[in-house]
Amino acid sequence: MKPAAVLLDMDGTLVDTEPYWIATEYAIAERFGATWSEAQAMELVGNALVESARLIKVGMGLPHEPEEIVEMLLDGVVERVEREVPWRPGARELLSDLVEQGVPCALVTMSYARFVGPILEQLPEGTFKVIVTGDMVRNGKPHPEPYLTAAAALGVAAEDTVAVEDSNTGARSAEAAGCTVLVIENHVPVAPGERRIFRDTLEGMTYADLAAL
């Protein structure tokens, strides 16, 4: 059995943009005279943006609405990613192999479309047949909706796909949708799970390796 499609997270999985988000969080805290910690930052990894914004609002004691905080976050990370996209080892090579093998791919990210754009510009057109962003779904990760939405748009059952994730929140989302989940840990440890398979890196990984999962 080969996977009918591959569904890939973005932040922390394909690109190591988590430091960009964290740097932006600290910049917001400094701007408003608030405090922030590494532990608080790690709690946000993989979350839907509006949920992260709610935690920032409480953690920093900001008067702004979560939607306003989301825009502050996006302003900071978009500026950074437009200067440099920090690709994870093996990410672009795996995507190229999937395209060459004719495997349908979906990007499933809780980032919003305006942040995803500069990253997609560095990939060949058509790398992803479907793109699901955080501003397209009602329920973000860890809810299964993002992965169910991607699978449905590709015309496949989530149970027949492999999802690639780096966080507990993302792994929970993909697992709840029924995907087999390849976990490449990055900034946060990920707990074991029934449908989770762990590897150290995407470097050297091909479609044949994903099919063997």
Side-chain angles (χ1 to χ4, degrees), residues 105-189:
C105 293
L107 185 68
V108 186
T109 175
M110 289 299 89
S111 292
Y112 285 13
R114 75 178 178 103
F115 176 54
V116 174
I119 294 170
L120 294 181
E121 287 175 2
Q122 294 204 13
L123 293 171
E125 187 175 352
T127 297
F128 294 104
K129 293 187 178 298
V130 167
I131 296 168
V132 176
T133 58
D135 47 347
M136 292 173 55
V137 294
R138 180 180 298 274
N139 301 292
K141 301 175 185 179
H143 194 280
E145 182 185 344
Y147 279 101
L148 291 173
T149 300
L154 288 172
V156 301
E159 293 83 357
D160 297 332
T161 69
V162 169
V164 186
E165 273 285 355
D166 75 302
S167 71
N168 273 299
T169 304
R172 285 171 58 197
S173 173
E175 194 172 50
C179 310
T180 296
V181 189
L182 171 62
V183 178
I184 310 292
E185 291 180 327
N186 191 358
H187 293 283
V188 294

Side-chain angles (χ1 to χ4, degrees), residues 24-47:
T24 301
E25 291 157 21
Y26 276 108
I28 292 171
E30 182 178 0
R31 175 180 169 189
F32 294 103
T35 58
W36 194 242
S37 70
E38 188 75 12
Q40 287 171 301
M42 289 299 102
E43 289 180 11
L44 307 188
V45 174
N47 283 352

